[in-house]
Amino acid sequence: MSKKYDTPLLDELEKGPFPSFVKEIKLAAKHSDMSGDLLGHTELCFKERVTHWKHGGIVGVRGYGGGVIGRYSDIPDKFPGVAHFHTVRVNSPSGFYYTSSALKEMCDLWDKYGSGLTNMHGSTGDMVFLGARTENLEPFFAEVSSRGWDLGGSGSAMRTPSGCLGMSRCEWANIDAMAITNDITQHYQDEMHRPAFPYKFKFKVAGCPVDCIASIARADMSIIGTWKGDIRINQDEVANYAKTMDIKAEIIDMCPTGCMQFDGKTMKIDNSNCNRCMHCIAKMTKALRPGTEKGATLLLGSKAPIVTGALMSWVIVPFIKMEPPYDEFYDLVDKIWEWWDENGKNRERIGELMERLTFTRFLKDVGLDPHPAMVKEPRRDPFFFWAEEDIER
Amino acid sequence: MSDLPQRQTDIGPPHYSKFLPPVIAKNYGKWLYHEVMNAGVMVHVAESGDKVFTVRAATPRLLSTDTIREYCAIAEKHCGGHLRFTTRHNVEFMVDDESKVAPLVAELKSKNYMIGGIGPRISNIVHTQGWIHCHSAATDASGLVKAIMDDVSEYFTEKELQNKVRIAVACCVNMCGAVHCSDIALVGVHKTPPRIDDSNVKNFCEVPSTIASCPTSAISPDPAKKSVKIKLEKCMYCGNCYSVCPAMPISDAKNDGIAIVVGGKVSNLRKDPTFSKLVVPWIPNNPPRWPEVTDAVKKILNAYIAGAKKHERVGEWIDRIGWEGFFRETGFEFKIQHIDDFTFARETFRMSAAFKWT
């Protein structure tokens, strides 16, 4: 039985319609002294309006350089249950689908070795097992890995790739996002488990430009499904939508390229001017479908504001077929990583390195041809470089 | 330890095909269209004519094993033991026949699940660890999420908006959740520089990497103390040095707080993906319910509801009325902090005489 704490501030957050994280901590505290102390510890943070967690130390499992984040309380004497409260990142299956039997088995193991608290899921997409003592890390890993699970990434490594649910339940998927996510994860196990990069590297795979996985904002490499060719139109369904929707106001006038026409009966699209933004397809799901030549656009470089400001990924490959065995894709990733490894400073993301050494240098060094899709507009200044072969001697 | 099973390494996650509901596995890649039936239910229809009905409910992301077992029990009773989670921390239960929807919804309601988040509404809030688990948190995350979602719950469970409104919370500027492209995002910020613990710098920190971590070159060596010093006027309190060097704590209970940024999005729908922009530089931490923050969020939401056209996201509405229009409509005070003086500053200045009066 864990120690009881008065938690008036947290108790307030048990009220209201949204499910309460405080209830979750209290549920876990029924079985775990660690979670019991977490409750008191969190109440103190709320009271003092400051965190009481210390910088992580280096903890992990044998043979891996990541997958576990060390976490210690700065007041372990008051709250011995959270003296160690390490996080174990377990690589989630693509698409976040589970069976109850698999989840229950993981829950049993976590009750045995950890606090009983989890995140489904962490921001990167791992199953996060929150709160373990150092001596329990190795046994927990043995138990889960023997049942077919493995750890995700942390530190200066490939982070756990994640993707949208793609073709499994979405008609807009132009690429098999779940298969690609799983393939990248399996292809680069060493790069994920043994950090050897200048800094972290994240892949996110979106089936279409709606980008439900937010790949363009938070993946060093964003893989976004797209298509070539004409949007498929079912004119009968267009006519049905016309009964309930103001097609001119909601679709034609909102098309960013003005490439659509509707005369009250028939819809026409000037596909050569379509930029595949997905607005019309997303609003008229029964009537419009993406074209049939499927592939992906590859974009590189996004990250959060640390250090010199947030970046969104930008186009490096306008169109690539993303089909097994993905040789062309992996060759390119290997070249990009080699370039980053040779040129990147410690804790420099690939996007920051491209900015520092220039995008043009990146393109030349990894062997990608310039393409209008890579820029919003050409440069304004006249200060460009020429190569030796461009000069008459 | 001898009774532990044989560990395996580098096996990767289990293959997703082991977990797919039969109707999903059968129609993989062959979906035709989908329709939103109500705030909490949607149906996907396959080329084969098969249908999958998805019921979505909010989770607090921080989940006990007991609650996960409860999800499992519901999945076993209604969904053949299958369930999934969304990227925004919702749980989804899927059934292959419309007749199975009502009993599933009834059971979820009887257990007080918050069903919704589908269609042009507020979905669950993407967020970070906060005071539950993070050493660099300038605010809590779970508490803020709970306070906001309680206040706007009707836009999750029922009421429609002009489009989706994606809310996100990051407890510091590291932004583990990469919240910088959200309709409304809250980010924990510091207002005071790190405090240098000289004796611990020499024990725990590598001086060159600590110096290199500073984006404004405010940190320099202090050889006499075998430590570092900070040019205070250059520090913009990002806390990156603390990530590298634990002897430079930056949290400050009285001065840590929350900034609000708005108008971002990640999709390519209609207009390009967009960064969120600053609208409130700092609100003090006021747990457990952060009333000043929830008021500001509602102010933004109400102005959007009053002014946006159908299908416009928050950023598209602001694009149309202008940022000067946004400050007029919300009544937020425009302060010196709103004017960028960092990396991308020049792109943000108005190089035109055409603007609207506030």
Side-chain angles (χ1 to χ4, degrees):
Chain A
M1 190 66 195
S2 58
K3 194 179 157 190
K4 291 278 185 203
Y5 296 94
D6 281 333
T7 55
L9 295 172
L10 293 178
D11 294 349
E12 166 60 30
L13 293 175
E14 287 189 90
K15 302 167 191 163
F18 187 72
S20 169
F21 71 99
V22 177
K23 277 187 187 154
E24 297 301 317
I25 302 176
K26 287 187 176 177
L27 280 171
K30 286 184 186 171
H31 320 289
S32 161
D33 291 353
M34 296 180 81
S35 292
D37 272 7
L38 180 71
L39 194 67
H41 193 265
T42 307
E43 177 74 14
L44 188 68
C45 294
F46 269 64
K47 191 175 161 200
E48 296 183 353
R49 305 181 177 192
V50 74
T51 186
H52 275 291
W53 296 103
K54 274 203 300 193
H55 230 274
I58 295 174
V59 289
V61 301
R62 217 161 13 95
Y64 279 14
V68 181
I69 318 300
R71 187 65 75 226
Y72 303 90
S73 169
D74 68 4
I75 37 175
D77 295 342
K78 273 192 193 165
F79 299 98
V82 293
H84 300 199
F85 209 72
H86 309 318
T87 298
V88 186
R89 291 180 179 166
V90 172
N91 200 146
S92 54
S94 301
F96 300 149
Y97 287 92
Y98 296 94
T99 54
S100 58
S101 56
L103 275 182
K104 286 192 292 186
E105 189 173 59
M106 295 298 268
C107 287
D108 292 347
L109 292 172
W110 190 234
D111 282 343
K112 186 172 174 190
Y113 294 104
S115 72
L117 282 168
T118 73
N119 289 146
M120 297 296 279
H121 296 78
S123 295
T124 299
D126 292 292
M127 302 168 79
V128 168
F129 291 86
L130 207 63
R133 292 189 59 80
T134 305
E135 62 271 20
N136 281 344
L137 295 171
E138 216 29 86
F140 181 66
F141 177 64
E143 297 269 20
V144 298
S145 68
S146 69
R147 288 168 171 81
W149 298 84
D150 203 343
L151 301 190
S154 69
S156 295
M158 181 181 84
R159 298 299 183 84
T160 305
S162 68
C164 69
L165 54 57
M167 292 181 171
S168 73
R169 203 192 60 193
C170 183
E171 68 271 23
W172 302 332
N174 296 290
I175 50 175
D176 192 344
M178 281 168 46
I180 294 165
T181 301
N182 189 67
D183 205 90
I184 295 171
T185 311
Q186 294 291 356
H187 191 87
Y188 291 122
Q189 282 288 295
D190 191 37
E191 286 78 358
M192 183 154 80
H193 291 136
R194 291 163 202 90
F197 291 158
Y199 205 10
K200 65 186 88 171
F201 195 98
K202 299 183 177 184
F203 287 98
K204 297 207 187 293
V205 189
C208 83
V210 175
D211 199 359
C212 291
I213 194 75
S215 72
I216 201 159
R218 56 193 198 119
D220 295 274
M221 181 178 271
S222 319
I223 301 163
I224 300 181
T226 193
W227 70 91
K228 289 183 171 179
D230 294 353
I231 290 176
R232 287 172 282 170
I233 308 177
N234 180 334
Q235 299 290 359
D236 293 340
E237 290 294 348
V238 171
N240 280 335
Y241 275 106
K243 292 172 196 162
T244 55
M245 177 192 266
D246 182 348
I247 290 181
K248 181 175 182 308
E250 293 188 45
I251 306 296
I252 309 294
D253 293 351
M254 295 194 90
C255 170
T257 63
C259 72
M260 304 181 74
Q261 286 181 306
F262 180 61
D263 61 8
K265 284 183 185 156
T266 308
M267 179 169 279
K268 283 186 190 160
I269 301 176
D270 171 10
N271 282 279
S272 65
N273 276 314
C274 169
N275 67 2
R276 301 176 313 287
C277 83
M278 290 292 293
H279 172 72
C280 59
I281 294 173
K283 301 302 171 207
M284 302 177 77
T285 57
K286 284 175 150 175
L288 303 175
R289 305 179 77 190
T292 50
E293 189 184 349
K294 314 269 195 187
T297 300
L298 302 182
L299 307 92
L300 205 66
S302 71
K303 52 178 273 298
I306 292 284
V307 183
T308 53
L311 299 176
M312 263 192 260
S313 293
W314 61 95
V315 174
I316 62 162
V317 176
F319 190 81
I320 183 172
K321 286 272 178 198
M322 285 298 286
E323 286 161 7
Y326 313 106
D327 287 338
E328 190 190 350
F329 170 76
Y330 287 128
D331 284 350
L332 177 64
V333 172
D334 289 343
K335 271 188 212 159
I336 291 169
W337 282 353
E338 197 182 318
W339 185 77
W340 186 35
D341 187 47
E342 274 175 20
N343 297 292
K345 294 193 228 173
N346 183 33
R347 285 169 58 85
E348 186 173 39
R349 298 281 284 269
I350 188 77
E352 294 170 313
L353 176 63
M354 280 199 290
E355 285 220 299
R356 182 165 64 83
L357 295 187
T358 74
F359 187 30
T360 50
R361 162 100 182 261
F362 167 82
L363 293 173
K364 285 180 203 161
D365 285 357
V366 304
L368 290 168
D369 292 329
H371 188 284
M374 293 172 177
V375 295
K376 284 191 276 197
E377 57 187 29
R379 70 195 301 155
R380 308 166 202 177
D381 63 76
F383 307 131
F384 33 83
F385 293 100
W386 295 105
E388 187 55 39
E389 62 266 26
D390 298 322
I391 309 298
E392 263 185 65
R393 298 288 180 197
Chain B
M1 292 288 173
S2 57
D3 55 346
L4 283 174
Q6 179 61 45
R7 75 208 288 277
Q8 302 184 77
T9 57
D10 299 303
I11 56 171
H15 196 269
Y16 54 86
S17 58
K18 292 169 66 175
F19 301 125
L20 299 179
V23 65
I24 294 284
K26 182 186 162 199
N27 297 288
Y28 195 102
K30 294 172 194 155
W31 296 99
L32 203 52
Y33 67 91
H34 78 277
E35 286 180 304
V36 177
M37 299 172 73
N38 57 51
V41 185
M42 61 182 163
V43 57
H44 287 80
V45 181
E47 290 167 2
S48 66
D50 287 352
K51 294 178 178 178
V52 62
F53 297 85
T54 300
V55 180
R56 182 180 290 175
T59 87
R61 187 178 91 133
L62 183 71
L63 292 174
S64 66
T65 48
D66 284 1
T67 295
I68 295 174
R69 287 192 189 93
E70 187 177 276
Y71 296 166
C72 290
I74 293 167
E76 284 168 5
K77 189 168 163 192
H78 296 272
C79 315
H82 293 274
L83 70 162
R84 72 175 292 272
F85 294 84
T86 73
T87 54
R88 302 192 80 87
H89 318 308
N90 298 301
V91 62
E92 287 185 340
F93 300 98
M94 290 153 287
V95 293
D96 56 11
D97 191 282
E98 191 161 7
S99 66
K100 299 176 183 173
V101 173
L104 170 59
V105 168
E107 170 145 15
L108 292 171
K109 282 191 173 160
S110 74
K111 293 185 158 67
N112 290 322
Y113 281 57
M114 194 165 139
I115 302 170
I118 300 176
R121 294 182 173 85
I122 290 174
S123 186
N124 205 342
I125 299 182
V126 165
H127 65 279
T128 58
Q129 300 289 15
W131 293 334
I132 295 290
H133 204 241
C134 185
H135 67 287
S136 70
T139 185
D140 186 44
S142 303
L144 270 169
V145 168
K146 169 75 175 143
I148 296 166
M149 285 304 288
D150 279 344
D151 268 19
V152 301
S153 64
E154 62 188 343
Y155 294 105
F156 184 94
T157 56
E158 191 182 343
K159 285 187 180 172
E160 285 198 6
L161 296 159
Q162 283 88 340
N163 203 330
K164 298 170 194 301
V165 173
R166 295 290 184 237
I167 307 178
V169 172
C171 54
C172 84
V173 295
N174 268 307
M175 289 191 189
C176 299
V179 306
H180 52 282
C181 297
S182 304
D183 292 282
I184 303 173
L186 316 178
V187 55
V189 291
H190 305 287
K191 273 167 79 176
T192 50
R195 301 171 296 280
I196 303 170
D197 178 347
D198 290 315
S199 60
N200 276 335
V201 169
K202 67 176 177 240
N203 292 333
F204 296 120
C205 307
E206 199 194 40
V207 169
S209 58
T210 306
I211 292 170
S213 73
C214 180
T216 61
S217 306
I219 303 175
S220 57
D222 188 344
K225 294 179 182 163
K226 293 185 179 163
S227 181
V228 294
K229 53 191 173 187
I230 301 178
K231 210 170 226 179
L232 294 180
E233 66 275 18
K234 280 186 159 184
C235 176
M236 41 63 158
Y237 333 114
C238 71
N240 197 41
C241 53
Y242 176 57
S243 294
V244 178
C245 171
M248 298 179 74
I250 190 169
S251 60
D252 173 348
K254 284 187 189 147
N255 289 290
D256 290 348
I258 290 142
I260 303 183
V261 295
V262 311
K265 74 187 205 26
V266 296
S267 83
N268 288 269
L269 296 158
R270 300 169 301 282
K271 66 171 277 207
D272 287 349
T274 313
F275 290 114
S276 311
K277 315 292 185 336
L278 182 73
V279 294
V280 181
W282 188 80
I283 298 175
N285 275 317
N286 192 2
R289 286 208 173 261
W290 283 268
E292 298 87 350
V293 173
T294 54
D295 283 353
V297 169
K298 280 185 286 187
K299 207 180 265 188
I300 296 161
L301 196 61
N302 288 336
Y304 165 74
I305 291 167
K309 292 182 183 171
K310 193 170 184 188
H311 303 313
E312 277 181 340
R313 293 279 292 263
V314 170
E316 293 168 282
W317 160 63
I318 298 172
D319 258 8
R320 185 164 53 76
I321 66 169
W323 283 98
E324 63 276 34
F326 174 86
F327 281 93
R328 182 187 63 217
E329 295 303 317
T330 56
F332 289 131
E333 185 187 350
F334 189 83
K335 300 178 177 176
I336 191 79
Q337 286 83 9
H338 286 107
I339 296 178
D340 197 346
D341 50 15
F342 199 48
T343 312
F344 309 114
R346 191 165 59 171
E347 294 170 25
T348 67
F349 304 149
R350 189 185 304 280
M351 289 167 278
S352 151
F355 56 87
K356 296 168 189 172
W357 299 113
T358 52

